[in-house]
Amino acid sequence: MTERNLVLLGPPGAGKGTQAERLVGDFDLPYYSTGIILREAVEQDTELGTQAKEYMDRGDLVPDELICNVIAERFDSGEADYGFLLDGFPRTVGQAEMLAGALEKRERSLTAALLIEAPDEEVVRRLSGRRTCVKNNHVYHVEFDPPKSEDVCDQDGSRLVQRDDDQPETVRKRLSVYHEQTAPLIDWYSEKGLLRRFDGTRTPEEVHSHIRATLATLALEAEI
Ligand SMILES: [Zn+2]
């Protein structure tokens, strides 16, 4: 059976989360988002988890190498023998090199880096249109999924607000950080022939079938 060792890249609001859910369902892949697996390592009290907790308790960033080791620990657990989907790591070229090294040590390699792209203005439109209810965090969109009456939650009648994270200025700031960090990473994966681009402005169904077709082609190539 072919391995599907995948990294997911793309700006916030491009639909990565939706595609991740579908891919995980399609191929039964373990999904490794940095936040989730660090939290799990801490909860399970692994040695690396304990080290990571010390940084987190101090409010410090967990060092790249430690994050990579936590991920590699999951590679060795048996659950990722046929592949995995990484989201949020790597974010920089340094992290990508570390990941490549960890895989190489295990005589494995990345299958592809899947980049879901969307223009900045589209991301701003998607994210800044979101409204969240104050009571239960139900999410609406002023344009794509409006509530029946303005600024009121259909489900519990509570007030809808724009989260700080979704303010246009905040979104633009997040995007500029994303571009600064990720542009070199995209070039790096592109030079290695691992980058596959997808148009995040298409419908989730279209993006999903494009990704599936791409993965099927890669699997065929791997068997030749
Ligand atoms: Zn609500």
Side-chain angles (χ1 to χ4, degrees):
M1 198 166 140
T2 338
E3 291 181 25
R4 293 186 185 88
N5 305 329
L6 305 170
V7 162
L8 201 53
L9 301 173
K16 273 193 308 172
T18 310
Q19 298 304 326
E21 252 172 54
R22 291 182 182 218
L23 289 173
V24 164
D26 286 346
F27 302 116
D28 199 22
L29 298 175
Y31 173 65
Y32 298 148
S33 112
T34 321
I36 295 175
I37 68 161
L38 278 178
R39 209 161 38 226
E40 284 174 357
V42 170
E43 277 164 15
Q44 286 158 15
D45 234 359
T46 68
E47 199 189 317
L48 295 171
T50 311
Q51 288 177 34
K53 190 173 182 297
E54 285 173 22
Y55 288 95
M56 297 189 301
D57 284 348
R58 286 199 302 263
D60 290 336
L61 282 177
V62 180
D64 288 352
E65 204 182 342
L66 184 49
I67 298 177
C68 193
N69 288 340
V70 172
I71 294 167
E73 201 172 44
R74 305 290 286 263
F75 292 161
D76 296 334
S77 70
E79 68 185 16
D81 286 354
Y82 296 111
F84 53 83
L85 183 60
L86 264 171
D87 185 3
F89 189 97
R91 273 189 213 278
T92 64
V93 172
Q95 293 179 348
E97 283 168 344
M98 250 175 237
L99 173 66
L103 285 168
E104 204 179 325
K105 231 186 263 173
R106 291 160 178 82
E107 293 176 355
R108 299 176 68 172
S109 59
L110 205 66
T111 309
L114 312 173
L115 171 63
I116 305 176
E117 298 178 290
D120 284 5
E121 279 323 297
E122 175 67 17
V123 168
V124 173
R125 184 169 153 237
R126 287 182 183 182
L127 296 186
S128 65
R130 289 209 297 210
R131 297 294 179 271
T132 309
C133 93
V134 290
K135 217 178 200 172
N136 292 307
N137 292 318
H138 295 124
V139 179
Y140 299 82
H141 194 285
V142 290
E143 206 176 325
F144 311 126
D145 182 23
K148 289 193 187 83
S149 44
E150 204 178 327
D151 294 334
V152 179
C153 179
D154 292 348
Q155 296 179 65
D156 53 37
S158 77
R159 199 162 48 89
L160 300 181
V161 294
Q162 187 177 40
R163 294 186 322 158
D164 288 343
D165 255 9
D166 297 334
Q167 304 280 348
E169 272 324 294
T170 314
V171 174
R172 289 206 174 84
K173 251 181 233 154
R174 283 163 68 197
L175 278 170
S176 86
V177 172
Y178 164 78
H179 288 303
E180 209 172 288
Q181 286 186 334
T182 314
L185 181 60
I186 290 170
D187 291 345
W188 193 82
Y189 277 130
S190 174
E191 280 160 23
K192 299 229 171 313
L194 290 170
L195 190 74
R196 296 293 180 277
R197 293 173 185 270
F198 303 93
D199 181 356
T201 64
R202 309 292 288 272
T203 66
E205 288 69 31
E206 286 171 323
V207 177
H208 177 232
S209 46
H210 186 190
I211 294 177
R212 292 220 31 169
T214 302
L215 293 179
T217 309
L218 287 171
L220 277 177
E221 285 170 5
E223 278 166 22
I224 295 166

